Amino acid sequence: MPAQRIAKRTTAAAAAQLSTLQALKKHTAMPEKPLAVDEDVSTVHPYPTSAKEREDVVNSQTGRKITTFQFKVYDLCSQIPKGQISTYKHIADALQSSSRAVGQALKVNPYAPLPVPCHRVLDSKLFIGGFMGQWGKGEKIKNKKAKLFHEGVVFDETDHVTVETRDKVIFNDFNVLKSSQV
């Protein structure tokens, strides 16, 4: 009889402990890898660096000539290191421009994912933001999130960079070149 009581207590204690561990795991587990079609963060496209090389470059996505402003945005975006993010606002402030103009330039970025990693640019509240003309939810956003996950950037359940990692991942130390330096 005493052995049966001990077994019941042990089983009940083990079940309670397992329940507690599952609850802890639920709140502290690493996020799951997002499902995506395109997780590529390593393809490097040829990038014109001199003013002469940039004179007549046509964007393969739009069929239009890439503007000086677009190249300025791409130059700053290319400075964001792997594993870090910046915001449309940080880039806009560095260029004395608007966040919307920066977003429009990045929407047609023909140099992604490298050397112009536009997937590393989020909105000013560190929400996943937009990607390739899509905002908030959808296949393109899943791809952006997967690219960032691959680089070590973690999002919470509302698709914002986690509070615990924000200070470690924000980049805004841009080196803005004057037109004569390009």
Side-chain angles (χ1 to χ4, degrees):
M1 187 85 108
Q4 288 175 327
R5 275 194 230 149
I6 292 171
K8 280 185 180 177
R9 285 184 194 157
T10 305
T11 303
Q17 190 175 23
L18 179 62
S19 175
T20 303
L21 286 173
Q22 287 172 336
L24 279 173
K25 185 178 178 185
K26 186 176 181 182
H27 295 290
T28 60
M30 279 296 291
E32 288 185 29
K33 179 180 174 188
L35 298 175
V37 174
D38 177 16
E39 298 179 24
D40 178 23
V41 290
S42 60
T43 299
V44 180
H45 297 278
Y47 186 69
T49 55
S50 71
K52 179 93 173 121
E53 291 175 314
R54 292 178 176 189
E55 280 178 5
D56 298 314
V57 177
V58 174
N59 187 320
S60 59
Q61 294 181 19
T62 65
R64 294 182 168 154
K65 186 175 179 235
I66 297 176
T67 67
T68 302
F69 176 76
Q70 287 171 320
F71 273 119
K72 287 179 181 181
V73 171
Y74 301 157
D75 289 341
L76 293 190
C77 186
S78 69
Q79 296 174 28
I80 305 169
K82 180 179 180 178
Q84 292 190 291
I85 53 94
S86 193
T87 68
Y88 300 102
K89 182 173 179 10
H90 286 139
I91 294 173
D93 289 350
L95 294 174
Q96 297 177 350
S97 182
S98 75
S99 300
R100 186 164 293 192
V102 169
Q104 290 300 309
L106 292 176
K107 178 169 90 171
V108 294
N109 170 19
Y111 303 106
L114 295 175
V116 183
C118 56
H119 63 278
R120 296 178 188 159
V121 182
L122 308 180
D123 86 350
S124 60
K125 294 180 182 165
L126 303 183
F127 175 68
I128 189 77
F131 193 55
M132 299 173 70
Q134 193 171 62
W135 186 265
K137 298 276 183 219
E139 194 64 38
K140 293 175 183 175
I141 301 303
K142 288 178 187 176
N143 292 343
K144 178 177 182 176
K145 193 172 180 181
K147 289 173 190 288
L148 290 166
F149 180 88
H150 180 73
E151 295 182 343
V153 178
V154 181
F155 291 88
D156 63 18
E157 62 280 350
T158 65
D159 286 340
H160 289 79
V161 174
T162 60
V163 174
E164 302 83 24
T165 62
R166 287 181 183 180
D167 292 338
K168 299 173 197 150
V169 299
I170 297 175
F171 176 86
N172 65 357
D173 190 25
F174 292 107
N175 180 16
V176 181
L177 299 176
K178 295 184 173 102
S179 297
S180 61
Q181 292 176 297
V182 176

